[in-house]
Amino acid sequence: MKQTWEQVDEYITDLLCPNDSILDDVLVANRQADLPEIDVTGNQGKLLQLLVQMQGAKRVLEIGTLGAYSTIWMARGLAEGGKIITLELEPHHAEVANANIKRAGLKHAIEVRQGNALELLEDLEREGAEPFDFIFIDADKPNNPHYLEWALRFSRPGTVIVGDNVIRDGEVASRHSTDPRVRGVRTFFDMIAGDPRISATAIQTVGSKGYDGFMIGIVQQTVQSPQKANDR
């Protein structure tokens, strides 16, 4: 028997996020390609789309593509002429993501970059990338502190940053945890709490994907990257 929160998730998704053949096909393609089934849920994807839309975002950075399910949701909320740059470590995942993006008719709006995210972020800085309006962090949790610092470098006042899977079945509250994912998230939160550049909160969620949650923050002020500072 399904838990109550799973039934509620299905009720909300069926009512407010009706079936979409393209997104359904994306999930099927991900399963057939043996990608881990860790995509956001449909109602979470819709939340990302609404946040991007409310922000009026034209430039979005996503760290962690998987099969591009969340990417496609966000792309549908972009302002006219907007673009998402999404970073994916695994070549197979990136290949599946590109096929899904093509299926969704969004190749013009999404650029998948494959490789180590920290190296790809350095590449973006060398390219002189302009600030992003919205940044979604959904990759390996031990590196969340590094991703946050990069996100702040690529922000402007008003940039929205969202970090997914930050509750870890409640383990985030355990200061004695030895799990590197939990420790990464705790350091991530410690950095946010002590950094005047960002104002944030976190929300616990429970649903078809279990007990987890997300962080959402807005950048108050920006920081000059070390590279640019050294160029002065």
Side-chain angles (χ1 to χ4, degrees), residues 6-51:
E6 293 180 286
Q7 296 174 13
V8 172
D9 241 14
E10 288 184 3
Y11 168 73
I12 292 171
T13 301
D14 290 345
L15 192 65
L16 302 180
C17 315
N19 282 344
D20 182 300
S21 60
I22 291 175
L23 288 168
D24 290 344
D25 287 348
V26 166
L27 292 178
V28 169
N30 289 352
R31 285 194 294 270
Q32 291 177 341
D34 292 325
L35 268 61
E37 295 190 34
I38 54 174
D39 302 280
V40 300
T41 60
N43 52 342
Q44 291 168 345
K46 182 69 174 289
L47 174 62
L48 288 170
Q49 177 185 316
L50 291 173
L51 290 172

Side-chain angles (χ1 to χ4, degrees), residues 7-205:
Q7 296 174 13
V8 172
D9 241 14
E10 288 184 3
Y11 168 73
I12 292 171
T13 301
D14 290 345
L15 192 65
L16 302 180
C17 315
N19 282 344
D20 182 300
S21 60
I22 291 175
L23 288 168
D24 290 344
D25 287 348
V26 166
L27 292 178
V28 169
N30 289 352
R31 285 194 294 270
Q32 291 177 341
D34 292 325
L35 268 61
E37 295 190 34
I38 54 174
D39 302 280
V40 300
T41 60
N43 52 342
Q44 291 168 345
K46 182 69 174 289
L47 174 62
L48 288 170
Q49 177 185 316
L50 291 173
L51 290 172
V52 168
Q53 192 170 359
M54 285 188 283
Q55 177 72 346
K58 294 193 70 171
R59 286 181 52 77
V60 173
L61 174 65
E62 179 182 45
I63 304 174
T65 314
L66 195 62
Y69 183 72
S70 57
T71 325
I72 291 168
W73 271 110
M74 290 189 290
R76 291 178 169 185
L78 286 171
E80 185 175 354
K83 183 175 181 179
I84 296 177
I85 294 177
T86 182
L87 313 180
E88 173 55 48
L89 174 64
E90 299 294 339
H92 177 57
H93 296 179
E95 181 181 355
V96 174
N98 275 313
N100 285 333
I101 291 163
K102 182 178 181 181
R103 178 182 291 111
L106 289 167
K107 283 184 68 66
H108 65 285
I110 302 171
E111 177 187 352
V112 179
R113 296 194 179 193
Q114 188 272 313
N116 180 287
L118 295 177
E119 295 174 1
L120 295 175
L121 290 164
E122 289 180 359
D123 290 343
L124 278 171
E125 185 174 59
R126 281 192 292 268
E127 293 167 15
E130 295 296 318
F132 292 90
D133 306 309
F134 189 93
I135 300 173
F136 182 43
I137 301 172
D138 189 18
D140 56 309
K141 300 306 176 273
N143 273 318
N144 259 25
H146 300 300
Y147 298 145
L148 175 63
E149 189 57 46
W150 276 107
L152 289 167
R153 291 190 205 180
F154 286 128
S155 294
R156 56 167 177 78
T159 293
V160 171
I161 300 175
V162 174
D164 200 14
N165 307 124
V166 297
I167 302 302
R168 315 303 307 174
D169 285 319
E171 281 299 304
V172 71
S174 174
R175 62 188 178 91
H176 299 297
S177 176
T178 58
D179 185 327
R181 295 166 298 183
V182 174
R183 293 175 68 88
V185 172
R186 284 180 61 88
T187 301
F188 175 76
F189 276 132
D190 287 344
M191 290 172 62
I192 292 170
D195 197 323
R197 293 174 292 175
I198 182 171
S199 177
T201 190
I203 300 296
Q204 301 180 77
T205 60

